[in-house]
Amino acid sequence: MISIIGAGPIGSYLGYLLSKNNIENTIVEEHPEIGRPEQCTGLISRNIEGIIEPSLLKKAAMNKVNGAVISCGKASFEVKTHDFKAYVFDRSKFDKAIAEKAENKGSKLLLGHSYIDHKLNPQTRQKGLKIGLNFGHKAKYLQSTLLVGADGPASKVAKNSSLYGDRKFWTGAQMILKAKEPFFDKSPVYVYLDKRYSDGFFAWVVPIDEERAKAGLASYSNTAEHLNRFLKDKFGHFLAERRSGGLIPVYNKMPLQNRQKNIFLVGDAALQVKATSGGGVVNGMLAAQGLADAISTGKFDYESRIRGIRRNLWLHSLIRKKLNAMGDARRSELIEDLCDEKIKNIMQEKGDMDFVAKFGFNVLAAKPSLLRFLLY
Ligand SMILES: Cc1cc2nc3c(=O)[nH]c(=O)nc-3n(C[C@H](O)[C@H](O)[C@H](O)COP(=O)(O)OP(=O)(O)OC[C@H]3O[C@@H](n4cnc5c(N)ncnc54)[C@H](O)[C@@H]3O)c2cc1C
């Protein structure tokens, strides 16, 4: 039996994949309800359609967006496509749908159970783990052959397995903005690169419909202060409610498995998040596929199976580092340079928020002068 800690989208999806391969698994979730508290904006590209069936996605979709407006100060770059490029999900419904999918395939779900620690099984002296859980005030144990930490950015499984490493985080926070009458163009998402709104990340507005939008930001420091400033500057007269937020881990290449002890990390617990956007669902799910295959084949070659994902996440980190090294004037210059029909055409045709390599080289080939921003 395999214990998966965390019924976020990645843990539940891994449970589903293992059950599909007839591998017994239990998903342990500390909250009594899946998807609560909700922490995420739920902007997920259509790459998700290659992972989860669209009929299920439809149940959790709040909006579909077909473009982006990226700005810094007065500089602004807009790209729009004919067909939609990404979903805006109700993350709570999304997480529930995936957990239900896992349960329907045979995964066992333990809600309201917190993972505390694990030990190599002392009784049987066989290869195996004794997983310690808390359920209310009661201690409970699971016997398990493998343990997977899908328990989010501050993963306790990672901490208890010497896999935590030197991780860093942005703190994200967002509100729901409500307008009294139709106000938002609900087709693009808005990205604000101005340094006054974030230390090391950006601010965003993601429309739900014409009257509501998710507005938020992430930052290395003073997140609440930055959010107040952003909302006051841009949406001072709006009703803002339901503050939510959480940690966004900064990707770095670190070990994700301890094979001797039969422990693996996946999703945010494994820092599998794009440093450009903070999005972790698509890459985390692709990594879960790699982990499920590594376990199902008995080869446990997880890290080599996800080499491509790691390369992709590294590329996102490189872009983030370059952006963070620029001041507002330089970012504005970059945005102005992007306002070029050739670039817009490439973005419309090939743009992909998950996989920069799919269009990045074409953009550089079309306008080599952009290279100066990478060499900055
Ligand atoms: C403000 C914000 C906005 C974001 N916006 C986006 C976005 O628009 N698009 C996108 O793709 N990503 C976004 N992300 C990132 C996204 O939320 C994560 O990448 C994604 O949720 C990762 O899923 P996961 O299953 O790995 O971890 P999580 O979703 O964090 O799930 C981990 C689960 O483990 C449980 N858990 C933790 N510890 C224990 C324990 N000891 N015992 C039992 N259970 C435990 C938690 O309760 C939780 O349910 C955003 C993040 C933040 C903070």
Side-chain angles (χ1 to χ4, degrees):
M1 200 279 285
I2 296 181
S3 293
I4 301 168
I5 310 302
I10 313 304
S12 294
Y13 182 57
L14 177 69
Y16 160 76
L17 293 171
L18 293 174
S19 294
K20 209 169 110 189
N21 287 337
N22 297 316
I23 297 176
E24 193 187 350
N25 65 87
T26 299
I27 308 169
V28 178
E29 170 56 48
E30 66 183 356
H31 289 104
E33 186 184 344
I34 304 266
R36 298 271 181 222
E38 193 173 319
Q39 299 186 323
C40 163
T41 311
L43 181 71
I44 300 179
S45 81
R46 290 188 75 178
N47 290 322
I48 193 71
E49 291 171 356
I51 303 173
I52 303 290
E53 59 278 20
S55 58
L56 196 146
L57 299 175
K58 229 168 118 182
K59 289 186 197 162
M62 303 172 99
N63 189 15
K64 292 170 177 177
V65 291
N66 68 347
V69 181
I70 301 171
S71 66
C72 183
K74 291 203 169 81
S76 168
F77 167 74
E78 179 167 7
V79 61
K80 268 197 174 181
T81 52
H82 293 302
D83 206 359
F84 79 99
K85 278 277 182 188
Y87 292 90
V88 181
F89 286 113
D90 176 323
R91 259 298 298 271
S92 173
K93 283 190 185 160
F94 180 83
D95 289 17
K96 283 188 176 88
I98 297 176
E100 205 178 296
K101 190 172 156 75
E103 256 192 318
N104 290 343
K105 266 281 174 242
S107 301
K108 192 172 168 199
L109 201 54
L110 294 180
L111 295 181
H113 287 67
S114 302
Y115 157 84
I116 303 299
D117 57 14
H118 62 268
K119 292 193 182 83
L120 279 174
N121 204 332
Q123 273 131 28
T124 60
R125 288 184 187 275
Q126 286 166 359
K127 245 187 170 181
L129 297 156
K130 185 179 176 188
I131 317 287
L133 307 177
N134 252 2
F135 176 55
H137 295 295
K138 279 194 215 138
K140 276 176 116 177
Y141 298 95
L142 289 179
Q143 301 295 346
S144 199
T145 46
L146 296 181
L147 171 63
V148 178
D151 49 343
S155 169
K156 204 176 214 176
V157 174
K159 282 180 189 156
N160 289 345
S161 319
S162 313
L163 291 172
Y164 198 73
D166 179 23
R167 31 184 93 192
K168 293 191 172 58
F169 306 96
W170 291 283
T171 304
Q174 70 174 4
M175 311 280 290
I176 304 286
L177 294 179
K178 285 191 174 169
K180 291 208 175 84
E181 49 198 52
F183 175 84
F184 299 105
D185 172 358
K186 67 183 201 127
S187 48
V189 297
Y190 300 83
V191 173
Y192 302 83
L193 299 183
D194 313 63
K195 286 208 160 182
R196 70 186 256 103
Y197 301 138
S198 167
D199 168 17
F201 210 70
F202 61 87
W204 62 81
V205 172
V206 173
I208 298 170
D209 51 36
E210 273 138 14
E211 279 114 35
R212 291 175 305 156
K214 304 184 192 191
L217 55 84
S219 183
Y220 279 127
S221 63
N222 304 327
T223 298
E225 205 179 291
H226 282 107
L227 184 61
N228 289 342
R229 184 179 304 139
F230 174 61
L231 294 177
K232 194 167 160 227
D233 276 11
K234 304 280 180 193
F235 304 100
H237 56 294
F238 279 71
L239 184 65
E241 57 184 40
R242 264 183 50 206
R243 195 179 192 119
S244 63
L247 296 176
I248 299 178
V250 179
Y251 174 75
N252 76 56
K253 194 174 179 217
M254 49 160 235
L256 302 181
Q257 62 187 80
N258 183 332
R259 279 179 67 177
Q260 263 179 339
K261 294 186 180 160
N262 294 330
I263 292 161
F264 300 84
L265 302 179
V266 70
D268 273 23
L271 317 181
Q272 287 156 347
V273 174
K274 295 172 291 173
T276 50
S277 70
V281 174
V282 167
N283 278 274
M285 285 189 160
L286 294 175
Q289 289 177 352
L291 179 53
D293 290 345
I295 294 172
S296 306
T297 54
K299 291 188 178 157
F300 303 110
D301 51 350
Y302 172 44
E303 291 190 5
S304 54
R305 281 178 191 268
I306 61 161
R307 248 185 233 134
I309 295 166
R310 288 184 136 184
R311 221 173 293 127
N312 179 41
L313 293 172
W314 173 82
L315 202 52
H316 282 274
S317 299
L318 179 73
I319 296 170
R320 165 59 51 213
K321 276 190 193 131
K322 295 292 169 189
L323 271 173
N324 285 1
M326 296 178 198
D328 279 357
R330 189 77 171 160
R331 290 177 184 188
S332 302
E333 191 186 326
L334 168 63
I335 288 173
E336 275 156 13
D337 264 31
L338 289 173
C339 295
D340 176 313
E341 278 314 305
K342 276 184 294 183
I343 308 287
K344 282 194 180 176
N345 290 340
I346 294 169
M347 300 287 242
Q348 278 164 349
E349 207 186 308
K350 301 192 166 170
D352 188 316
M353 61 197 244
D354 292 314
F355 303 104
V356 195
K358 281 192 184 167
F359 65 95
F361 299 112
N362 298 70
V363 166
L364 289 175
K367 194 163 184 177
S369 62
L370 285 170
L371 260 175
R372 72 187 192 282
F373 293 100
L374 278 183
L375 302 173
Y376 190 63

